[in-house]
Amino acid sequence: MQETIEQKCISKGVKLTDQRKIIAKVMSESTDHPDVIELYKRVSKIESKISIATVYRTVKLFEEAGIITKHDFRGGKARYEELNESHHDHLIDIKTGEIIEFVDEEIEKLQKKVAEKYGYDLVDHKLELYGVKKKS
Amino acid sequence: MQETIEQKCISKGVKLTDQRKIIAKVMSESTDHPDVIELYKRVSKIESKISIATVYRTVKLFEEAGIITKHDFRGGKARYEELNESHHDHLIDIKTGEIIEFVDEEIEKLQKKVAEKYGYDLVDHKLELYGVKKKS
DNA sequence: GTAGATGCAAAGTATTTGCGACAAG
DNA sequence: CTTGTCGCAAATACTTTGCATCTAC
């Protein structure tokens, strides 16, 4: 079992308030990629007096601490996902909005190679595939 | 020589107003990836009474017509770029913000393969590499 | 002539922030 | 205790829109 968000907060010196614990729990239990409003809704079910400002502040904090990650998929709103040791990219169904996570070592390697070719060290990357389900 | 934005508008039945001609010209001459504010500034130098609402409406129109493309790089604002037959991805210097355009056929092929693996037809994709310039 | 485009300002979204009250370490 | 957090509402940033006027075709 890997470290929980709460444990990561402790090891990174992030103060753990009740609100943050709840947001951490909700993030951990989310298998999708919720935006702030969605997160706020889920959090509110557990503790209704958490304000949306706190949700915004907390996701930003967690992101800066490297605990969760932010995506700017199409649609304007930022969406978040727990970060764990297994990196992956996303395949997005443009009809249904469904998101499939995948990893392709070959692509990862090639990305590093491209960066090197231009004299860069690859720090991060974003790969999103947009597709439609095949008939067959 | 390839088709200009103006020519594309004509062939796609997009009405060509003076404002659109100016915005088209500015987009064509931009080798970077300007956001709407930047575009508005450049356009204003040529014709100062174009409103920012028109710039927003026009980039949206051009985007829907498949004439330019929109990027949501880090930093909140949408940025635009003329679309031409040569597809490419972006390598972004996280220190300076500089953007390098590149193509890697190998990666392109692998992306299609990944989509197929999950039963999808690849319609579009977004690949952004974030890096820092090497010392040496 | 007419459908669609423009300018302006007002309205929408998404997100951030100032501030007094409050809680974690 | 003291530093940092929370809730609230106001502020900001980016983008869209209603409406009267104007223009390309």
Side-chain angles (χ1 to χ4, degrees), chain A residues 82-96:
Chain A
E82 184 174 359
L83 201 58
N84 52 45
E85 75 291 328
S86 76
H87 157 78
H88 59 255
D89 292 304
H90 299 93
L91 166 57
I92 298 136
D93 186 318
I94 54 177
K95 290 250 172 73
T96 68

Side-chain angles (χ1 to χ4, degrees), chain A residues 27-42:
Chain A
M27 278 295 329
S28 291
E29 292 171 352
S30 297
T31 57
D32 53 352
H33 305 70
D35 58 37
V36 172
I37 303 285
E38 182 55 35
L39 216 42
Y40 175 59
K41 280 185 197 156
R42 294 180 193 175

Side-chain angles (χ1 to χ4, degrees), chain B:
Chain B
M1 182 57 191
Q2 84 162 106
E3 247 189 332
T4 66
I5 294 183
E6 278 199 31
Q7 289 171 328
K8 284 183 197 164
C9 284
I10 295 166
S11 64
K12 295 187 192 241
V14 170
K15 199 187 269 187
L16 265 175
T17 63
D18 289 347
Q19 291 85 334
R20 291 185 184 168
K21 281 181 198 163
I22 293 171
I23 295 168
K25 178 169 149 54
V26 169
M27 278 295 330
S28 291
E29 292 171 352
S30 297
T31 58
D32 53 351
H33 305 68
D35 58 36
V36 172
I37 304 288
E38 181 56 36
L39 216 43
Y40 176 59
K41 281 184 199 155
R42 295 180 193 176
V43 158
S44 296
K45 279 186 193 158
I46 301 176
E47 171 52 77
S48 65
K49 49 184 188 306
I50 291 182
S51 86
I52 191 146
T54 297
V55 179
Y56 271 107
R57 279 191 275 235
T58 304
V59 290
K60 195 176 207 182
L61 177 77
F62 283 0
E63 197 207 351
E64 283 164 359
I67 296 171
I68 67 176
T69 186
K70 177 182 178 179
H71 298 292
D72 296 286
F73 297 143
R74 289 171 194 191
K77 306 180 201 173
R79 299 174 59 172
Y80 293 87
E81 160 180 35
E82 184 175 358
L83 200 60
N84 52 44
E85 74 290 326
S86 76
H87 157 78
H88 58 254
D89 291 306
H90 299 93
L91 165 58
I92 298 138
D93 186 318
I94 56 177
K95 292 248 172 73
T96 68
E98 191 193 349
I99 296 176
I100 294 165
E101 302 181 342
F102 71 88
V103 195
D104 190 295
E105 286 307 334
E106 198 71 25
I107 293 180
E108 305 281 323
K109 265 185 233 155
L110 286 169
Q111 289 178 358
K112 202 165 289 181
K113 223 172 89 185
V114 168
E116 305 231 315
K117 183 171 143 193
Y118 291 97
Y120 281 80
D121 277 324
L122 191 60
V123 169
D124 194 9
H125 75 260
K126 175 198 280 189
L127 172 60
E128 289 157 26
L129 305 183
Y130 294 89
V132 290
K133 214 163 245 163
K134 281 191 186 180
K135 290 277 167 64
S136 70

Side-chain angles (χ1 to χ4, degrees), chain A residues 74-120:
Chain A
R74 289 168 193 193
K77 304 182 202 174
R79 299 174 59 171
Y80 293 88
E81 157 180 39
E82 184 174 359
L83 201 58
N84 52 45
E85 75 291 328
S86 76
H87 157 78
H88 59 255
D89 292 304
H90 299 93
L91 166 57
I92 298 136
D93 186 318
I94 54 177
K95 290 250 172 73
T96 68
E98 190 193 350
I99 296 175
I100 294 165
E101 301 180 344
F102 71 88
V103 195
D104 189 296
E105 286 309 333
E106 197 71 27
I107 292 180
E108 305 282 323
K109 265 185 234 158
L110 286 168
Q111 289 178 358
K112 200 166 290 178
K113 223 171 88 184
V114 168
E116 306 232 314
K117 183 170 143 195
Y118 291 96
Y120 281 81

